[in-house]
Amino acid sequence: MICNKIRGTRLRYLFVFGMMFFLATSCNSEDANLIEDQQQEDDDPVDPNSLNARFVFSNTLVIEHSWNTGGCESPPCDTDDDSLTNVFNNSLPNDPYFYMETDEVELNLECQPEKGRRIEFKQISEGPLTSYSKMEFEAFFYDIPDGGFTIAQVHNRGGNSNKPFFRLELHNNKLETVIRRDPEVSSNQTTFSKVDYPFLNGMDYSLFPLKVILEKENGFVKIRVLQDDTVILNQSFQPNTSTDWVTDNGIANGYYLKAGAYNAATTHTENLVLGYTTFKFETDDLN
């Protein structure tokens, strides 16, 4: 009788131990499967040619344009802002001023003749030059007018400024950096610093795209431009610390980035077209 009780107790212990072992190994197996599935998801490659990989926008970036201005007979015209949130989700952009080629290679911006003052990607958040914002893009530029036009800016909407501190201008055979010395409202009340950068061996920017990296950080504006994988411009700019760019708190905290086509013609009537193959924007500015 005692032996039978002992054997029964041992069997119950063995049964309980076996169940605990089964549950433990089962949980471990499920955890391992979950980890493996997660790793598989993490390891799945992102197609670098997909639209969402090539064009990275955000809710702090809009399209600013003067195309559909309704009754504007003599430019410059009023401007509108369009959201870029989920811009590829349902269909490809198909506006006269913002459209995707059918082969999905180029995302085009176009200024309308007689109403085309600008068509640009514009950051609607803002911050000081010490905070981080960056635009990086590659684009083809077509039919550049004699006066050229602005393709990238570090603008300012703080205080009474409402003027760009930095502009990158594109001309037929060169790039030109333009620094506004002071943020006065009227251009004739300030001075500009301009430096030219010639293209490589006269390369055609409609055949060889320009890659542009524009950012503000650590108190500087930084601009880097490559053509055919060769650097043709790599500079940093800092406003004079005695000017309102720095001393006026409203202005000093009002910087933001823009890129696209800003018409430099006196009447703003040139038809400007550019085709982005990539455009990536990121910022720490939230205001």
Side-chain angles (χ1 to χ4, degrees):
M1 179 68 68
I2 295 175
C3 290
N4 288 337
K5 288 183 178 179
I6 293 174
R7 283 196 295 268
T9 302
R10 287 178 178 174
L11 288 173
R12 284 195 295 272
Y13 284 150
L14 288 173
F15 175 77
V16 172
F17 178 78
M19 288 298 296
M20 293 176 62
F21 179 78
F22 171 78
L23 291 173
T25 54
S26 177
C27 290
N28 288 339
S29 177
E30 290 179 4
D31 290 343
N33 289 336
L34 288 173
I35 293 172
E36 184 177 350
D37 290 342
Q38 184 63 50
Q39 288 176 340
Q40 182 64 39
E41 291 178 6
D42 294 341
D43 292 339
D44 285 342
V46 176
D47 182 3
N49 295 316
S50 68
L51 292 179
N52 288 324
R54 290 164 48 212
F55 299 98
V56 181
F57 302 130
S58 80
N59 59 4
T60 60
L61 194 72
V62 298
I63 281 193
E64 182 180 44
H65 61 94
S66 53
W67 185 286
N68 297 320
T69 51
C72 177
E73 295 180 357
S74 58
C77 307
D78 293 334
T79 57
D80 298 317
D81 290 346
D82 292 341
S83 172
L84 290 165
T85 303
N86 302 322
V87 69
F88 300 119
N89 275 16
N90 298 317
S91 62
L92 296 178
N94 190 29
D95 292 307
Y97 53 89
F98 178 48
Y99 54 92
M100 174 68 76
E101 298 285 354
T102 55
D103 58 9
E104 298 187 7
V105 173
E106 294 181 29
L107 183 62
N108 295 97
L109 303 186
E110 182 171 350
C111 279
Q112 180 187 28
E114 299 181 2
K115 294 183 182 179
R117 183 173 189 174
R118 76 192 71 178
I119 173 71
E120 298 177 287
F121 293 124
K122 179 181 72 172
Q123 178 184 352
I124 56 176
S125 58
E126 59 190 64
L129 287 182
T130 53
S131 64
Y132 175 72
S133 290
K134 179 181 178 181
M135 287 180 173
E136 180 174 342
F137 59 85
E138 188 170 75
F140 294 94
F141 299 88
Y142 302 100
D143 299 327
I144 305 307
D146 292 339
F149 68 96
T150 296
I151 65 172
Q153 306 181 56
V154 177
H155 213 284
N156 190 292
R157 64 172 69 93
N160 293 320
S161 170
N162 198 30
K163 293 290 183 180
F165 165 65
F166 168 85
R167 289 189 290 115
L168 180 66
E169 289 188 2
L170 175 65
H171 297 268
N172 280 320
N173 58 356
K174 67 181 181 180
L175 293 170
E176 184 175 56
T177 58
V178 182
I179 302 296
R180 182 183 291 267
R181 296 291 192 185
D182 300 290
E184 284 86 356
V185 173
S186 175
S187 296
N188 60 17
Q189 295 178 8
T190 190
T191 56
F192 298 87
S193 173
K194 300 184 179 183
V195 180
D196 296 340
Y197 298 86
F199 287 116
L200 300 172
N201 302 318
M203 279 188 175
D204 188 343
Y205 40 75
S206 66
L207 298 176
F208 296 89
L210 293 177
K211 181 176 182 179
V212 178
I213 301 102
L214 174 66
E215 61 184 306
K216 67 174 185 71
E217 189 179 27
N218 297 325
F220 288 88
V221 170
K222 302 175 184 177
I223 181 73
R224 193 165 184 252
V225 183
L226 297 86
Q227 189 176 33
D228 198 26
D229 294 327
T230 300
V231 176
I232 58 177
L233 194 169
N234 187 12
Q235 292 291 325
S236 295
F237 302 95
Q238 187 177 36
N240 189 309
T241 56
S242 65
T243 66
D244 285 346
W245 289 125
V246 178
T247 60
D248 185 298
N249 287 335
I251 295 175
N253 290 289
Y255 293 95
Y256 63 99
L257 308 187
K258 299 177 75 175
Y262 188 92
N263 213 316
T266 303
T267 58
H268 303 289
T269 58
E270 299 286 356
N271 184 29
L272 306 176
V273 182
L274 62 155
Y276 288 102
T277 57
T278 63
F279 192 102
K280 298 180 181 181
F281 169 73
E282 55 188 19
T283 183
D284 290 337
D285 295 327
L286 299 176
N287 297 326

